[in-house]
Each structure stands twice: as structure tokens, then as C-alpha cells.
Amino acid sequence: MTIQFNDETFRDDYTFHNSDWAIRRFPFPFHEDSYMYSVNMEQHRGGPAGSVYEKRFDVDEHYVSEMKDRAIVLAEDPLRCQSLPHMTLAGWDLLELIMVSKSEDYPDLFELHRDGNDWRWINRPLGIDDRFTFLDEATLPYGPMEYITRQTQGDFAVLDQRDENLWMDAGMVTTQADWSLDFDIGMNFFEWHAPVPLAHEMGIFKRALKFLLNVQQGNPARRLNWTMTVNPLLDTSPENYHKWGIQKTTLTPENIGSKQHLRVELQTFFRLPRSNALVFPIRCYMIALQDVVTVPKWGRRLHRVLRDVPVELATYKGFIGNRPLIVDYLSQFDDGLPTSDGIWPDLDTEPPLRKG
């Protein structure tokens, strides 16, 4: 397997771009022409070859540039990575899970050699070749969770399970959709989800917590979540809202196709073996509207979903002010034809856009 890594930026000049390959494998989050909250959990047991679901931790063309961006964020704000003292063992669990998964799933990119507790880790894309002693923090340049998540796409919330609840007691969070690890650290499942509208009244979080408390080792789960982002900015944190919030005012009918992005999170859940913690990777994927609509089914569906989604959800997801502009743009790519069920592009069976 050979991946051509992009040299791109997620800030300032925004040179981020998706290849045709990345567009076709994008995790489009809508399985039908409408949207409402649901638990929408399923087993994380792979997926079609080449899809973002195939491997345990997806590595794509954005990998190297995303890791550079993470390093920038951490240099500016070290509190984006935090671990309470009792979570160190969970950090080692996570390091092992990622190293084993990546070395097995991408043997051309990553190698793990183990002789008892003497480990050697090779990360070819980032030029890393380190030897260390497993469970000995002094042999790594960072704590185990920070060390491995500086080399892994997506955010990570590491959740301690106690008192029939999940507590966000550690994490690496630099690509989040407007939430703060520094604010949420130490909170339980219901506390950190408190700002979400409608879902509490629908009982979504009670059902989700019940499911997550019962995730077993070796049986990970996954779901998709989504929002909208102006410009391909990974770090849409509350701490930096003064930098990115203003960008919502820069959309015009002429630039919306390139500037407005659908932002999707592939959220997975793994039970860790020694600590019994639950790790919650949150992998962010972004795609410009002009790329979404190159898939006729997605162009039709996204128009219908964003047009009809309740005001409360459009407000929470941050695009209520620009919804008329977004919907008007997408309407050009919705000819009213029916769409097939499911999230896949169905390029071979979905009819092309009917003009006029």
C-alpha cells in the first residue's frame, strides 16, 4: 500500500485539499434525506476495502500535515493534552493499541518490535525510530498517551469507567468541533454533553451511555457525527473562537463552494485491557461543498438535509447564519430525483445530475 502524503496547511493560507481518492472514500454521514439525532452505534469491524472503516485507525493522505498542525497547536497551548494521574496506565494501553494496530494494518509505514518490555517503534512517514521500555515513562520523550497521539490522526478522549458512568479524565484534543478539553477534563458523560440540544429530551445520551458501558475488549464500536466549518481549519476550539468565528462572515455566493466544508467525525470506542478505560478516538474529515457535489447522490442529499434540519440543530452546529447561502448553493445540485439508501456514493447506479 502506497499513500502519497499531501504537503498542506489547515490555517492561514489553507492549502488543504482532497484528492479524487479522498473524496470517494469520504465518510458521508447521512444515510437518508433527513437527519435527527440517534445513537447510531455499530460494531467497528472493518469495512469495504479502501474505505475509512477498513482499518482500526485510518491513515490517509493528510497524515503528515495533520501531525504538523497538531504540533503547532500543542506548542501554543500545552493544555490541549491532559491526563489525570490515575490515567497513566490507560495511556500505556492506548499506546499499545495504536502501535499494534498500525504495525499490523500498515506494515509498510509502521513497525513494532517487542522483546518483553523492550520495544522499538518505527514510524516511517514521520521519520521516528525509538526504543523504549514499556510501562517506564522515563524512556519516552512524553507521557505514553501524548507520545502516540502526536503520531495519530484525530482527537482522543480517554474515559475512566466508574460509578456507572464515564469520566473524561485524559485526552489529546487539537481538532475539535468547538469544545474544550481543559473545560471538560474530569466531567462525566452527561456533564460534557450538556450543551447538546434536543438529544437529552429524546433520551439519546442515556441509551448511548448504556451501550458504551458495555463495550467489551476486542469488540470496538463506531458512529459518525457531523458539523459545518468555514475553511478547512482543524483547530476550531473555543479557546481560539476569536480567530475562526469571524471567518463565518466571509462566505459569498462566489466562494461558498470552496470555503464551506462539511466536517465529519468518525468516532470509535475501544475497551482498554489493563485499565478497563474506554478510549474514544474522534477522527475529523473535511470536504468542501464543491467536492461533495461531484458525487450526485451526496449533492442531492446534503441539500435536503441542511434545508430541513431543525433550527436548534443548525444553530448548535454553527451554520444557522449561513444556512440560506449554503442551501441556495446546494440547490443547484438537487434535481429532485430520489436517492438510494445508505451513505455510499453509488456512482455506478445513481443517475447523473439532470440539468434544467
Side-chain angles (χ1 to χ4, degrees), residues 92-100 114 119 134 273-274:
W92 285 110
D93 279 339
L94 178 59
L95 176 144
E96 179 184 48
L97 172 66
I98 293 175
M99 286 186 176
V100 169
R114 294 183 283 183
W119 290 25
F134 188 67
R274 300 169 186 82

Side-chain angles (χ1 to χ4, degrees), residues 39-96:
V39 176
N40 70 314
M41 298 280 191
E42 64 179 11
Q43 294 299 307
H44 184 37
R45 293 188 173 278
S51 74
V52 301
Y53 310 102
E54 182 184 11
K55 311 295 187 184
R56 284 163 284 187
F57 295 92
D58 185 46
V59 176
D60 66 9
E61 62 189 35
H62 308 297
Y63 174 62
V64 174
S65 293
E66 285 191 27
M67 295 302 91
K68 291 178 180 177
D69 194 80
R70 167 154 291 166
I72 293 171
V73 175
L74 290 170
E76 294 175 349
D77 186 0
L79 292 178
R80 300 298 188 86
C81 182
Q82 298 189 46
S83 180
L84 299 184
H86 64 281
M87 298 300 286
T88 301
L89 183 59
W92 285 110
D93 279 339
L94 178 59
L95 176 144
E96 179 184 48

Side-chain angles (χ1 to χ4, degrees), residues 202-243:
M202 297 168 63
I204 296 294
F205 291 121
K206 288 183 179 179
R207 296 198 298 275
L209 179 62
K210 182 178 180 180
F211 179 93
L212 293 173
L213 290 173
N214 289 287
V215 169
Q216 301 298 308
Q217 186 184 347
N219 290 289
R222 69 187 179 211
R223 68 183 294 267
L224 294 176
N225 193 20
W226 66 278
T227 187
M228 304 292 286
T229 300
V230 176
N231 291 320
L233 178 64
L234 284 173
D235 178 23
T236 54
S237 59
E239 289 88 345
N240 281 332
Y241 184 80
H242 62 286
K243 298 179 182 179

Side-chain angles (χ1 to χ4, degrees), residues 73-354:
V73 175
L74 290 170
E76 294 175 349
D77 186 0
L79 292 178
R80 300 298 188 86
C81 182
Q82 298 189 46
S83 180
L84 299 184
H86 64 281
M87 298 300 286
T88 301
L89 183 59
W92 285 110
D93 279 339
L94 178 59
L95 176 144
E96 179 184 48
L97 172 66
I98 293 175
M99 286 186 176
V100 169
S101 298
K102 285 191 168 184
S103 62
E104 290 178 350
D105 293 346
Y106 301 94
D108 56 329
L109 302 179
F110 307 97
E111 289 183 28
L112 177 62
H113 303 277
R114 294 183 283 183
D115 180 8
N117 282 348
D118 295 327
W119 290 25
R120 181 187 180 193
W121 169 246
I122 300 172
N123 178 331
R124 289 192 178 86
L126 298 185
I128 293 170
D129 186 341
D130 285 341
R131 298 176 186 269
F132 62 94
T133 302
F134 188 67
L135 299 177
D136 183 356
E137 283 190 88
T139 61
L140 285 175
Y142 308 99
M145 180 192 70
E146 180 172 356
Y147 175 79
I148 197 59
T149 56
R150 279 178 174 265
Q151 304 175 48
T152 309
Q153 288 165 281
D155 287 336
F156 290 82
V158 188
L159 314 176
D160 192 31
Q161 183 164 325
R162 62 182 187 272
D163 303 328
E164 295 300 308
N165 211 326
L166 294 169
W167 303 78
M168 190 179 298
D169 286 347
M172 167 70 85
V173 180
T174 68
T175 67
Q176 70 271 51
D178 200 12
W179 65 279
S180 170
L181 174 67
D182 192 40
F183 184 79
D184 288 353
I185 193 83
M187 287 188 180
N188 69 37
F189 187 80
F190 296 116
E191 290 170 339
W192 86 69
H193 282 112
V196 182
L198 302 180
H200 292 276
E201 297 87 335
M202 297 168 63
I204 296 294
F205 291 121
K206 288 183 179 179
R207 296 198 298 275
L209 179 62
K210 182 178 180 180
F211 179 93
L212 293 173
L213 290 173
N214 289 287
V215 169
Q216 301 298 308
Q217 186 184 347
N219 290 289
R222 69 187 179 211
R223 68 183 294 267
L224 294 176
N225 193 20
W226 66 278
T227 187
M228 304 292 286
T229 300
V230 176
N231 291 320
L233 178 64
L234 284 173
D235 178 23
T236 54
S237 59
E239 289 88 345
N240 281 332
Y241 184 80
H242 62 286
K243 298 179 182 179
W244 59 267
I246 192 66
Q247 296 180 30
K248 296 181 183 182
T249 66
T250 63
L251 293 181
T252 67
E254 292 73 32
N255 67 24
I256 190 169
S258 60
K259 288 177 70 73
Q260 180 67 66
H261 287 68
L262 173 62
R263 184 188 190 105
V264 175
E265 296 172 348
L266 172 57
Q267 303 179 350
T268 51
F269 306 88
F270 295 82
R271 179 68 62 189
L272 298 177
R274 300 169 186 82
S275 60
N276 198 44
L278 190 74
V279 64
F280 173 19
I282 309 165
R283 174 65 191 282
C284 171
Y285 297 84
M286 295 184 289
I287 186 171
L289 293 188
Q290 66 185 14
D291 291 334
V292 174
V293 300
T294 63
V295 178
K297 172 181 173 179
W298 293 353
R300 295 178 176 109
R301 179 162 294 169
L302 188 61
H303 170 246
R304 298 166 195 180
V305 167
L306 298 187
R307 179 193 63 198
D308 300 337
V309 75
V311 169
E312 297 93 333
L313 293 189
T315 302
Y316 173 69
K317 291 182 180 291
F319 67 95
I320 187 66
N322 287 319
R323 175 150 70 169
L325 200 58
I326 295 169
V327 170
D328 185 61
Y329 172 82
L330 291 172
S331 68
Q332 306 169 77
F333 305 96
D334 185 0
D335 51 16
L337 292 179
T339 56
S340 57
D341 292 336
I343 62 175
W344 306 106
D346 297 331
L347 291 170
D348 294 333
T349 57
E350 198 79 358
L353 181 68
R354 187 172 57 190

